Amino acid sequence: MSLPDRFASHLAHLRLRPGPVLVAVSGGLDSVVLLDLLRQVADRTRLELIVAHADHGITPASGEVAGRVEALALEFGLPVMVGRLVLGPDASETRARTARLRWLEQTRKHLAARYILLAHHAEDQAETVLMRLLRGSGPAGLAGMVARRGPLVRPLLPFNRSTLLRYAHAQGLSWWEDPANRDSRHLRSWLRHEVFPLLLERLPDVTRRLRDAGRHAQADRSAWSAALLSWPGLDYHPEKRGGSVAWRALSALPQPAGAALALALLRRAGAPASPTRVKGALRSLAALESGATADVGRGWRLELAFERLRVLPPGGAVPEPVPLAGRQGETAWGAWRVRWTPEAAPPTQPRDGPTAWFIPGTLTLRPWKEGDRVAPLGGRGRRLAVRCFQDARVPSSERRHWPILEGDGELAWIPGVCRSNRLVPHAGAPAVRVDVEPRG
């Protein structure tokens, strides 16, 4: 079977949906071969190829390489996007990779492309496994790169570099060798050009052995991911911003099993999953009360809330107050979408629903503040808003990003939690209807 046929078979296994995709082309051998293979099988995959090149600005020749990639895209009759990142000659390998992926993701969203196709191959996978081993990664990290995660797709992982090289020569392809790829200051370059040749002399099948180790680690990782969904009493709940499990069931398990399941919970949410950090976080949470959080790296946290362990992604800034101006309108407020329109008031209003009606006047969206009080509709006196949040089982981590509607200087509504008896119009009277719902 020819390489294009094998490649097309592997792409079919990845089950990519038809439509526009970004192909990350650095100008090197691997990415040029990837682009050519995609072009060869385009009629079978129904993928609409867009060439994307990130010019890091690290070497003086980077502009020339960008020009070559543009010329190649033109030769193939494909659209091309070039990003000028201007990182400078001292940029680290990590900084360059982070900047490149950030630009690719921004470009993907801008062009409404489904995926970003990257050219990592079998030797890259072996190098990744060895790098992570040297850095002290846990078993899950040794699984290496996955063929598909979110919008990132690596369709060349089953193929080794010698296969790609033979194909490139047979097709008459030309490419550019980046001098930075031989700079031993970068760990991957040092491993590729200095360490791996020595390993190959002693262990000719070292690449296969490392790939096998990665597959074993991936199987272990998949097993814990499956256990997360089926472990008795764990009661995994997917959530928009992460996920959660029953804390009592998790904390009752032997420490290694509990930590492994917490790691699977974090990975499922897309969070960093360091075994050392997670074990420390679980130990600290075991001694704390509901509402406590523990950092697990890069802004991600674990939270205890109402007897559940929740994953919290990095939190954004608390939104500023926003007046609901005009007779009608719509606005995004943090993670919420708010619409208001004139409508006659109904005979009754729900106390905890996503919709409420108000006497026309000055209404303002704002964040919750400690000490806020609300006079519940149909109730007596005034209650601390935090008590209402607790009754509605809103975790403490979400309260400062929860919208509050204020009118005439008084708290009038906590959407989905508690309607106040303030600014309530009579049935049939002119009113402002406000709808609040999570975005996306």
Side-chain angles (χ1 to χ4, degrees):
M1 184 184 292
S2 69
L3 181 59
D5 287 339
R6 291 163 57 199
F7 179 73
S9 176
H10 180 59
L11 272 182
H13 175 71
L14 294 177
R15 297 181 179 180
L16 303 184
R17 291 190 293 165
V21 299
L22 286 188
V23 187
V25 179
S26 67
L29 167 70
D30 313 330
S31 61
V32 169
V33 169
L34 172 62
L35 181 62
D36 191 75
L37 286 170
L38 288 166
R39 186 175 64 96
Q40 296 283 352
V41 303
D43 58 332
R44 288 180 263 181
T45 63
R46 293 186 294 159
L47 297 178
E48 302 166 21
L49 309 181
I50 305 169
V51 177
H53 175 79
D55 177 0
H56 297 99
I58 293 176
T59 65
S62 65
E64 178 185 345
V65 177
R68 290 184 184 182
V69 172
E70 289 181 289
L72 180 64
L74 181 64
E75 178 186 338
F76 287 169
L78 298 172
V80 60
M81 299 288 291
V82 175
R84 312 286 180 182
L85 306 185
V86 197
L87 300 182
D90 296 326
S92 67
E93 183 180 24
T94 299
R95 183 185 172 205
R97 180 178 65 253
T98 300
R100 177 173 66 251
L101 289 175
R102 184 186 302 116
W103 175 78
L104 286 169
E105 176 61 10
Q106 290 170 346
T107 304
R108 181 190 72 82
K109 290 180 176 178
H110 175 70
L111 298 177
R114 293 192 187 279
Y115 309 105
I116 300 169
L117 275 58
L118 304 172
H120 298 109
H121 52 71
E123 280 83 357
D124 292 324
Q125 182 73 295
E127 291 165 6
T128 297
V129 172
L130 183 56
M131 284 174 62
R132 292 182 179 179
L133 179 64
L134 294 175
R135 286 171 170 165
S137 177
L142 298 182
M145 298 176 285
V146 294
R148 177 178 172 183
R149 174 175 293 161
L152 298 181
V153 182
R154 298 177 174 90
L156 292 183
L157 283 182
F159 308 101
N160 58 41
R161 194 174 193 275
S162 61
T163 299
L164 305 183
L165 185 60
R166 287 194 300 271
Y167 177 84
H169 286 312
Q171 294 294 113
L173 301 175
S174 60
W175 61 91
W176 179 74
E177 296 290 351
D178 186 351
N181 288 339
R182 290 187 172 273
D183 189 342
S184 61
R185 291 179 301 171
H186 304 315
L187 178 59
R188 186 180 290 274
S189 298
W190 175 70
L191 289 174
R192 179 177 298 167
H193 298 290
E194 298 189 31
V195 176
F196 258 92
L198 297 175
L199 290 173
L200 288 167
E201 287 180 10
R202 188 67 177 263
L203 301 169
D205 61 345
V206 66
T207 299
R208 179 188 61 78
R209 293 188 187 193
L210 287 168
R211 289 173 60 195
D212 286 347
R215 279 195 288 268
H216 296 325
Q218 182 60 52
D220 181 80
R221 176 173 172 161
S222 297
W224 283 110
S225 294
L228 175 71
L229 305 183
S230 59
W231 199 286
L234 204 59
D235 189 29
Y236 169 77
H237 286 178
E239 298 179 8
K240 183 176 179 180
R241 300 179 67 221
S244 69
V245 294
W247 171 244
R248 187 171 298 177
L250 184 82
S251 59
L253 294 172
Q255 188 270 341
L261 288 165
L263 284 164
L265 177 68
L266 286 161
R267 287 195 301 271
R268 194 170 186 85
S274 159
T276 301
R277 278 184 176 270
V278 169
K279 290 175 184 176
L282 294 178
R283 282 196 301 269
S284 66
L285 289 174
L288 300 172
E289 298 179 350
S290 182
T293 65
D295 176 62
V296 291
R298 300 181 196 169
W300 290 79
R301 292 169 293 153
L302 288 173
E303 178 190 40
L304 283 184
F306 304 104
E307 299 184 359
R308 297 192 67 80
L309 181 69
R310 306 175 67 239
V311 177
L312 302 179
V318 176
E320 295 290 329
V322 174
L324 305 191
R327 283 174 48 82
Q328 63 183 49
E330 178 177 326
T331 188
W333 192 87
W336 303 82
R337 187 172 305 283
V338 182
R339 300 181 182 90
W340 62 99
T341 186
E343 183 179 287
T348 60
Q349 293 198 38
R351 185 160 151 177
D352 57 357
T355 302
W357 289 258
F358 300 88
I359 295 173
T362 302
L363 298 172
T364 300
L365 277 173
R366 66 163 174 83
W368 166 73
K369 298 180 293 189
E370 290 186 21
D372 270 342
R373 289 182 177 271
V374 60
L377 183 65
R380 294 182 178 180
R382 298 176 51 166
R383 299 189 69 204
L384 282 169
V386 68
R387 301 298 184 197
C388 299
F389 278 129
Q390 290 170 346
D391 291 345
R393 301 183 72 82
V394 175
S396 59
S397 60
E398 297 184 11
R399 294 169 194 167
R400 292 196 181 278
H401 297 266
W402 202 277
I404 296 288
L405 198 68
E406 179 182 283
D408 293 338
E410 291 196 75
L411 196 161
W413 185 36
I414 309 174
V417 174
C418 185
R419 174 64 166 98
S420 165
N421 61 19
R422 303 296 194 256
L423 302 178
V424 178
H426 296 295
V432 177
R433 169 178 169 155
V434 182
D435 295 275
V436 179
E437 60 183 3
R439 295 168 60 192

